[in-house]
C-alpha cells in the first residue's frame, strides 16, 4: 500500500486483522460487567438500581430460598448473554483460535 497515510494503513490492514481480538475482548468485558456482584453490593443501596446478581441474591431470605423464582430469574438473566454470544460467535471463535499456537 504504497503512498497510503497512517490512518489508511490502520483502517485497511491493522483493524481487520485485530477485529476478532477486539470482538473477543468486548464479549469478555461485557460478561464481566454483567456478572459483577461485589462492587455494586458496596455502592448501591436502593433496590431499583441493583444489578442482576444482586437481585438474584434477594430470592434467599431468613425463611429459605424460593427456588422456582430463583431458577426462572436465572434463566431470564442468562437469555441476553446467549443472544449476544450467538451474534458474536464467529468473531469469538476466530479470536480464540488466533491466540493459540500451531
Amino acid at each position: 500500500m504504497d503512498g497510503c497515510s497512517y490512518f489508511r494503513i490502520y483502517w485497511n490492514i491493522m483493524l481487520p486483522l485485530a477485529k476478532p481480538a477486539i470482538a473477543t475482548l468486548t464479549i469478555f468485558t461485557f460478561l464481566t460487567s454483567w456478572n459483577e456482584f461485589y462492587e455494586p453490593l458496596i455502592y448501591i443501596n436502593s433496590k431499583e438500581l441493583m444489578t442482576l446478581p444482586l437481585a438474584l441474591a434477594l430470592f434467599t431470605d431468613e425463611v429459605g430460598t424460593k427456588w422456582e423464582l430463583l431458577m426462572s430469574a436465572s434463566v431470564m438473566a442468562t437469555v441476553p448473554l446467549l443472544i449476544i454470544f450467538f451474534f458474536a460467535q464467529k468473531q469469538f471463535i476466530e479470536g480464540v483460535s488466533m491466540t493459540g499456537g500451531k
Side-chain angles (χ1 to χ4, degrees):
M1 303 212 61
D2 192 28
C4 287
S5 65
Y6 288 119
F7 178 74
R8 179 140 180 170
I9 291 171
Y10 171 75
W11 191 259
N12 289 341
I13 297 173
M14 294 172 63
L15 192 60
L17 291 173
K19 194 183 296 185
I22 292 171
T24 304
L25 179 67
T26 303
I27 291 169
F28 284 148
T29 303
F30 176 76
L31 288 175
T32 302
S33 64
W34 184 266
N35 292 325
E36 186 67 40
F37 183 79
Y38 290 115
E39 201 169 309
L41 180 64
I42 294 170
Y43 298 134
I44 296 176
N45 292 327
S46 67
K47 289 185 178 182
E48 292 83 21
L49 299 175
M50 286 188 173
T51 60
L52 282 173
L54 286 176
L56 290 175
L58 291 177
F59 287 106
T60 303
D61 55 6
E62 298 86 25
V63 179
T65 303
K66 300 171 185 158
W67 290 105
E68 64 278 358
L69 296 177
L70 181 63
M71 290 301 120
S72 63
S74 297
V75 168
M76 294 305 292
T78 307
V79 168
L81 297 175
L82 290 174
I83 291 171
I84 288 175
F85 178 76
F86 285 130
F87 280 121
Q89 183 177 8
K90 179 183 174 189
Q91 286 81 17
F92 179 73
I93 299 299
E94 280 183 30
V96 171
S97 67
M98 287 180 65
T99 60
K102 293 181 180 183

